[in-house]
Amino acid sequence: MNVPFRFSFLLAILLVAFAGCQKSSSPVEYNAKAANPEYYNSALNKLTQVVIHDIFSPPVASRIYAYANLAGYEALAPFDAQYESLGGKLKRFQASPKPEPGKEYCFPLASTHAFLTVARALTFSVEYYDEFEKTFYEQYKKDGVPDEVYDRSMAYGETVAKHILDYAAKDNYKQTRGFKHTVTNEEGTWVPTPPAYMDAAEPQWNKIRCWAMDTCSQFMPPRPFPFSLVKGSPYEKELDEVYQVGKNLDKQKQDIAYFWDDNAFVMNVAGHVMYASKKMTPGGHWLGIAQTVGRKKKLTMIQMVEAYALTSFALTDGFISCWDEKYRTKTVRPETVINKSIDPKWTPFLQTPPFPEYPSGHSVISTAAATVLTNLIGDNITFTDSTEFQYGHGVRSFKSFRDAANEASISRMYGGIHYRSALENGQVEGEQVGKWVIQKIRARKSAVASR
């Protein structure tokens, strides 16, 4: 045997022996690494990218987030004895299948896999997950999750995901597809708005199964002011306010309006050319805010997932409640009336979204989300929101979740697309929704306390 060969042979033996003596990570060790909330954050951010690419309407996007985060939560809850399944707490939801007793699991891995499995099933551009997942799941193996535990955890995540998708299949979503709102042209009622004159979005959304609310009309706001162009009437005063604000919009108000635009599909017009811009939905924006503050407060993974899930439920019920009222009252947008009766050349700063005016969706869902996040994480937490910086919407700082929700609400008047009563009554409605979600859906076995 020559020397080089003998050296290589001995080295190979030593390496094998060393590998055999190495200890695999213990469940405590690999679960501690795998429970890094940034893993889940990255999965949620990938879903947001796909939601933007697929141009889901705000209500539909909220539904996708809610089911994905429910799956993420349900697969993670067995990891912490303080938390439990939401079976029996969400409307007509039965507890998820339990993990096999006596077996080792990496529940953080099961959680993100359940989340991504549901996300894939409810979005269109699934190829956007492929490259992401190639490297995403490798990090768990690098964290020392044994192959057997890895496979078992992935299988459990898929089991939970299937349970959630079965639940989703019964929420009436499919039954609401294909419907169009009938435009009556009655005085004071909604008609399509420029530049695209799109059909009204999701006219049947009040048929979707609620998450925490008893019914879609549980928190019905007061009736909007009757349509009247008589000088000094309540409606005419609100109309004139929108017109005057729009004519005298300073840079600060423009920045606020644009920051909170969150219009999933904006049609741009340049001469004879029209092209679309895709943007983040309000729900994605508020989950981004939850992520920002979660990082600042150093929330654990289970705390972060709890915040995502409950905020998602508030968003979905907020949209159901809001859309129920929108298509009950069918209130005309300011742009339509101003162009017809006051100034044919006036245009709102923001593009008017394609659905009735009352109440303001941003006001409802932002206040609902802020109410839940305040309860879970705390009040008077200053933060800088850069959620949509990558989409050109800048950065703004806030003193609390409620401060952000208040600005989101008033931004709709600055944008020229809502009357004041739609903002104020929408915020009351949203707070009622948020409080109801906290009251009805307790993730922890003990009462949720503000941290």
Side-chain angles (χ1 to χ4, degrees):
M1 183 181 292
N2 61 47
V3 174
F5 177 81
R6 183 169 56 189
F7 177 79
S8 299
F9 180 71
L10 290 173
L11 179 62
I13 293 175
L14 288 172
L15 288 173
V16 170
F18 177 74
C21 293
Q22 276 189 310
K23 291 183 179 179
S24 60
S25 297
S26 69
V28 172
E29 291 172 328
Y30 64 68
N31 272 301
K33 293 178 181 178
N36 182 347
E38 289 305 322
Y39 292 0
Y40 196 97
N41 288 343
S42 65
L44 183 128
N45 294 341
K46 175 53 63 176
L47 172 57
T48 292
Q49 292 173 7
V50 177
V51 165
I52 292 171
H53 181 271
D54 287 348
I55 319 177
F56 289 106
S57 70
V60 176
S62 75
R63 175 180 180 267
I64 296 169
Y65 283 121
Y67 284 119
N69 281 312
L70 174 59
Y73 173 81
E74 287 289 299
L76 186 62
F79 185 56
D80 192 316
Q82 191 181 1
Y83 291 81
E84 60 186 352
S85 170
L86 299 180
K89 299 179 182 183
L90 295 171
K91 201 160 189 179
R92 293 196 287 276
F93 178 62
Q94 296 180 351
S96 298
K98 294 181 179 180
E100 189 176 350
K103 298 286 187 179
E104 287 184 17
Y105 288 87
C106 177
F107 289 109
L109 167 59
S111 172
T112 54
H113 187 50
F115 176 96
L116 287 168
T117 301
V118 171
R120 274 181 170 273
L122 299 182
T123 52
F124 301 136
S125 302
V126 294
E127 66 275 8
Y128 279 79
Y129 300 104
D130 293 340
E131 195 64 32
F132 171 78
E133 290 186 345
K134 284 180 184 177
T135 56
F136 180 78
Y137 292 121
E138 282 299 317
Q139 64 195 354
Y140 293 96
K141 293 184 177 180
K142 291 178 181 178
D143 287 340
V145 179
D147 289 345
E148 182 182 354
V149 175
Y150 178 93
D151 293 341
R152 185 182 301 120
S153 303
M154 292 285 280
Y156 180 61
E158 290 174 12
T159 299
V160 171
K162 181 182 183 303
H163 181 72
I164 302 306
L165 290 171
D166 289 344
Y167 176 59
K170 301 178 182 68
D171 71 352
N172 298 323
Y173 177 74
K174 292 180 181 178
Q175 290 76 10
T176 65
R177 301 302 86 202
F179 284 89
K180 289 188 176 182
H181 171 66
T182 301
V183 177
T184 65
N185 290 310
E186 294 177 9
E187 190 176 57
T189 61
W190 183 87
V191 295
T193 51
Y197 297 94
M198 297 170 63
D199 290 333
E202 302 299 340
Q204 298 286 312
W205 201 250
N206 65 345
K207 303 295 194 302
I208 300 293
R209 178 186 59 213
C210 300
W211 291 74
M213 295 187 303
D214 294 332
T215 67
C216 61
S217 58
Q218 183 175 355
F219 302 114
M220 186 188 302
R223 302 303 80 206
F225 292 125
F227 180 82
S228 171
L229 295 180
V230 174
K231 188 69 174 177
S233 70
Y235 179 87
E236 190 275 336
K237 288 181 179 178
E238 287 204 319
L239 181 68
D240 185 63
E241 181 181 22
V242 176
Y243 177 58
Q244 297 299 334
V245 168
K247 285 204 310 179
N248 300 284
L249 208 61
D250 59 30
K251 179 65 165 55
Q252 181 183 20
K253 291 177 181 177
Q254 289 178 357
D255 289 345
I256 291 172
Y258 188 65
F259 183 82
W260 292 102
D261 187 16
D262 297 335
N263 191 342
F265 185 82
V266 174
M267 187 61 71
N268 304 283
V269 180
H272 297 291
V273 178
M274 297 181 71
Y275 62 96
S277 296
K278 302 174 182 180
K279 297 186 179 184
M280 185 176 284
T281 64
H285 192 155
W286 273 97
L287 291 174
I289 289 173
Q291 184 176 121
T292 295
V293 180
R295 284 193 179 116
K296 179 174 182 177
K297 299 295 289 184
K298 294 182 171 54
L299 297 189
T300 64
M301 180 177 178
I302 187 66
Q303 291 170 338
M304 193 73 253
V305 175
E306 175 192 26
Y308 282 144
L310 268 65
T311 301
S312 295
F313 306 150
L315 292 167
T316 49
D317 268 1
F319 275 115
I320 293 169
S321 178
C322 180
W323 254 240
D324 175 60
E325 183 62 29
K326 280 184 179 294
Y327 289 97
R328 177 182 297 106
T329 52
K330 302 183 286 289
T331 302
V332 66
R333 288 283 184 172
E335 181 176 16
T336 302
V337 187
I338 292 172
N339 286 166
K340 182 178 180 180
S341 306
I342 302 176
D343 183 351
K345 296 183 178 180
W346 184 89
T347 56
F349 180 72
L350 298 179
Q351 189 171 121
T352 301
F355 36 80
E357 186 272 342
Y358 185 84
S360 158
H362 265 58
S363 300
V364 175
I365 69 97
S366 294
T367 308
T371 300
V372 167
L373 289 169
T374 298
N375 183 280
L376 291 176
I377 303 177
D379 202 357
N380 299 320
I381 299 174
T382 59
F383 64 93
T384 297
D385 179 12
S386 59
T387 303
E388 296 195 59
F389 178 78
Q390 61 183 312
Y391 304 108
H393 283 249
V395 175
R396 294 189 65 80
S397 297
F398 302 98
K399 298 177 181 178
S400 65
F401 294 119
R402 295 185 189 279
D403 183 32
N406 289 339
E407 186 177 278
S409 179
I410 195 62
S411 76
R412 310 313 272 170
M413 177 179 286
Y414 297 160
I417 59 179
H418 276 295
Y419 308 113
R420 184 172 293 276
S421 60
L423 311 181
E424 294 175 348
N425 293 338
Q427 284 197 286
V428 173
E429 182 181 355
E431 184 171 9
Q432 291 172 324
V433 171
K435 286 182 176 178
W436 189 257
V437 167
I438 289 296
Q439 177 184 333
K440 298 289 288 187
I441 305 174
R442 298 292 190 180
R444 303 184 195 184
K445 294 180 181 179
S446 57
V448 176
S450 296
R451 290 186 288 275

